[in-house]
Amino acid sequence: MRLNLNKPLVVFDLETTGLDLVKDRIIQLSYIKVSPDGQEKRVNLIVNPGKPIPAEVTALTGISDADVAGKPLFKEIAARLCDEFRGCDFAGFNSNHFDIPMLAEEFLRAGIDFDFSKCHLIDAQTIFHKMERRNLAAAYKFYCGRAMEDDFEAHRADQDTEATYRVLMGELDKYSPETEPDPERQLQNDVAFLADFSRQNNNVDFAGRVVWADMKDAQGNVVTGPDGKPRQVEVFNFGKHKGEPVAQVLRYDPGYYSWILSGDFTYNTKQVLTRIRLRESKLG
């Protein structure tokens, strides 16, 4: 089966110095750019994180300080990657939880505002967990019929990227309307559908500090749109203003916005709040 695409899809994976979106950095970025005509472009990049790689990360990935010495910093390749990724959708394994937020942070640290909110984000792990609830190795065995260790070297971004791409294609084959009789277990070969199916939360920012919630009127009734569905509004998901609409808080407590901008929050969270603030200033 070939992916049904209206624009390019970037299937990618990262290896990093750790799991902290604020403090850690990318050391390997691998991607397969799949074009609507079926052409596939494979790229594997080693990135200098600008900081020592922890011994446990080297043991896990095989990437050492010596391997990244002389390699470009992310900020040195960010503009080229932005051009490469512009107009694309994205897919990965656990990517909506970690890889996309980390990539967004690296772009912002490089001074590039890459707006992932305009992209469809497919997470093959979420699809897999909703269908079978296991990990990448089990997914590869289940969908591809082979042991992952027989085909790939573990904990390498280029290897995991290839496996993820094969798993995604296997998922589409297994759950296509032609092979799966149960309508509730069918997957559409459509990027928008897969991205929606991959979504696990209502986060506005990747860290979940701001989330979508039903809009309510002064009497506490849910406000609906022309389609009869509840209208959504951004609300804070932490701190003293938890559950309150962000736009409302920014109007009556502007110091809260300043506190977040100067605090230890991700660039993406600050970016989301700034966009809401600018939007509201234009409306008001």
Side-chain angles (χ1 to χ4, degrees):
M1 177 181 289
R2 196 171 90 178
L3 279 166
N4 182 21
L5 303 176
N6 293 318
K7 58 182 180 178
L9 178 70
V10 174
V11 184
F12 80 108
D13 188 66
L14 305 177
E15 299 298 343
T16 64
T17 58
L19 301 177
D20 190 312
L21 294 176
V22 175
K23 299 178 182 178
D24 286 308
R25 300 292 185 268
I26 293 172
I27 57 176
Q28 186 183 18
L29 188 160
S30 178
Y31 64 88
I32 303 169
K33 186 175 181 179
V34 187
S35 299
D37 63 5
Q39 293 188 51
E40 300 171 2
K41 177 182 178 181
R42 286 170 167 77
V43 176
N44 182 44
L45 301 170
I46 300 297
V47 183
N48 188 332
K51 60 185 295 187
I53 299 175
E56 59 269 23
V57 173
T58 295
L60 187 66
T61 65
I63 302 174
S64 66
D65 289 334
D67 294 318
V68 300
K71 299 296 184 180
L73 298 169
F74 186 88
K75 65 181 180 181
E76 296 172 330
I77 62 173
R80 174 164 60 87
L81 286 173
C82 181
D83 289 340
E84 178 80 355
F85 294 163
R86 185 176 289 112
C88 296
D89 293 320
F90 292 83
F93 200 87
N94 194 36
S95 50
N96 286 0
H97 177 71
F98 179 74
D99 299 79
I100 288 289
M102 176 60 80
L103 187 56
E105 284 299 296
E106 288 282 41
F107 271 130
L108 288 168
R109 279 190 283 264
I112 293 177
D113 183 4
F114 193 96
D115 191 356
F116 284 98
S117 69
K118 299 185 183 303
C119 308
H120 290 302
L121 306 176
I122 301 172
D123 194 326
Q125 185 191 63
T126 301
I127 294 173
F128 179 47
H129 284 178
K130 286 186 175 181
M131 294 296 190
E132 307 296 341
R133 303 187 183 278
R134 294 176 186 153
N135 60 21
L136 178 56
Y140 190 79
K141 175 71 173 179
F142 187 84
Y143 292 110
C144 303
R146 291 178 55 81
M148 190 170 167
E149 60 267 23
D150 292 341
D151 293 345
F152 300 106
E153 180 183 349
H155 299 297
R156 296 287 300 197
D158 55 331
Q159 304 284 295
D160 287 352
T161 295
E162 191 71 44
T164 297
Y165 182 39
R166 295 185 191 181
V167 166
L168 178 59
M169 302 307 291
E171 289 172 338
L172 287 172
D173 282 333
K174 181 172 178 60
Y175 303 115
S176 72
E178 290 76 23
T179 57
E180 173 55 62
D182 185 353
E184 294 186 358
R185 288 174 56 82
Q186 292 174 358
L187 291 178
Q188 298 176 26
N189 189 351
D190 177 82
V191 169
F193 172 87
L194 295 172
D196 185 65
F197 195 84
S198 297
R199 189 176 297 113
Q200 289 184 298
N201 52 52
N202 288 322
N203 292 355
V204 179
D205 65 326
F206 293 126
R209 298 288 190 171
V210 179
V211 298
W212 292 105
D214 291 345
M215 181 184 294
K216 296 183 179 179
D217 59 22
Q219 288 72 44
N221 301 313
V222 175
V223 179
T224 57
D227 59 359
K229 295 181 179 179
R231 294 180 61 183
Q232 298 279 289
V233 63
E234 304 100 333
V235 302
F236 281 109
N237 195 35
F238 75 103
K240 65 180 182 179
H241 293 304
K242 184 174 182 179
E244 296 182 47
V246 172
Q248 177 180 311
V249 172
L250 295 182
R251 283 195 297 271
Y252 78 79
D253 188 3
Y256 199 61
Y257 171 72
S258 300
W259 173 72
I260 292 175
L261 286 192
S262 62
D264 192 19
F265 295 90
T266 67
Y267 281 109
N268 175 250
T269 297
K270 297 173 184 179
Q271 176 192 51
V272 164
L273 290 177
T274 299
R275 285 176 178 164
I276 295 173
R277 186 169 180 265
L278 290 173
R279 181 193 71 201
E280 293 301 311
S281 66
K282 292 178 181 177
L283 294 175

